[in-house]
Amino acid sequence: VSENIYQINKAGHTGANGWHRITTPALFMGDVVIDAEYLILDDFIGMGSTLANAKSFIENVGAKIAGFEVLTGKPESSQLYLRSKTLENLREKHGKFEEEFKEIVKFDYSCLTESEARYLCRAKTIERIRNQLTRSIRENNSRRD
């Protein structure tokens, strides 16, 4: 059990909508043992971004992920990794927006979880995505002030 890897921000995902979850990623820090294998545990999976971000942090330091376990969550979010077909569908529907999306949230579509990508695919227009993301960021910033 590692008590040295921890979340460094308050993402506030409990009860939050998908726009909030996409614009407020959980960030991690701590001591990772290189080449060790980690099992990531979480109480709930909503869209999978907290697990994905913990995974990225641990792997970028040089360790491996043995798996994930969650106590509860949305069954449709149990597919954490972005399927190539979902990414293709998102780019087909909203591909013109990907560069602007990256400017707004600091990562491109390929970094999304499966659930996050499906959430964006359900948006009818690019304007809806742009408006919801910028509104969410504005609300998040006003909470920090």
Side-chain angles (χ1 to χ4, degrees):
V1 174
S2 173
E3 295 180 4
N4 297 321
I5 300 172
Y6 50 93
Q7 189 172 327
I8 61 171
N9 66 331
K10 185 175 185 332
H13 289 174
T14 304
N17 65 28
W19 305 112
H20 175 81
R21 290 170 181 272
I22 291 169
T23 59
T24 57
L27 304 175
F28 293 88
M29 206 163 202
D31 299 323
V32 175
V33 178
I34 295 173
D35 293 327
E37 288 191 3
Y38 287 83
L39 174 66
I40 300 175
L41 307 173
D42 203 354
D43 61 339
F44 178 82
I45 185 169
M47 293 179 86
S49 61
T50 301
L51 293 172
N53 291 348
K55 173 189 174 295
S56 292
F57 170 72
I58 292 167
E59 287 179 337
N60 286 334
V61 175
K64 297 172 182 68
I65 302 302
F68 303 95
E69 288 291 333
V70 294
L71 296 176
T72 187
K74 299 179 179 183
E76 65 272 15
S77 295
S78 63
Q79 170 65 39
L80 185 64
Y81 298 98
L82 179 59
R83 293 181 172 108
S84 57
K85 182 65 176 162
T86 306
L87 179 57
E88 182 182 312
N89 291 343
L90 178 57
R91 286 181 169 153
E92 189 174 297
K93 185 171 184 182
H94 299 304
K96 293 178 183 174
F97 184 67
E98 188 167 5
E99 280 304 310
E100 187 177 346
F101 177 86
K102 186 175 179 179
E103 288 176 27
I104 294 170
V105 298
K106 310 303 181 224
F107 56 87
D108 63 32
Y109 290 166
S110 68
C111 296
L112 294 165
T113 65
E114 176 70 14
S115 183
E116 290 170 324
R118 286 194 320 260
Y119 192 83
L120 292 176
C121 280
R122 288 192 297 270
K124 300 242 187 274
T125 66
I126 288 171
E127 290 75 26
R128 167 103 171 125
I129 297 172
R130 180 186 297 115
N131 291 341
Q132 291 297 93
L133 292 175
T134 54
R135 176 181 294 137
S136 179
I137 290 168
R138 193 169 45 251
E139 288 172 358
N140 295 337
N141 288 341
S142 70
R143 284 187 200 115
R144 292 182 192 130
D145 294 341

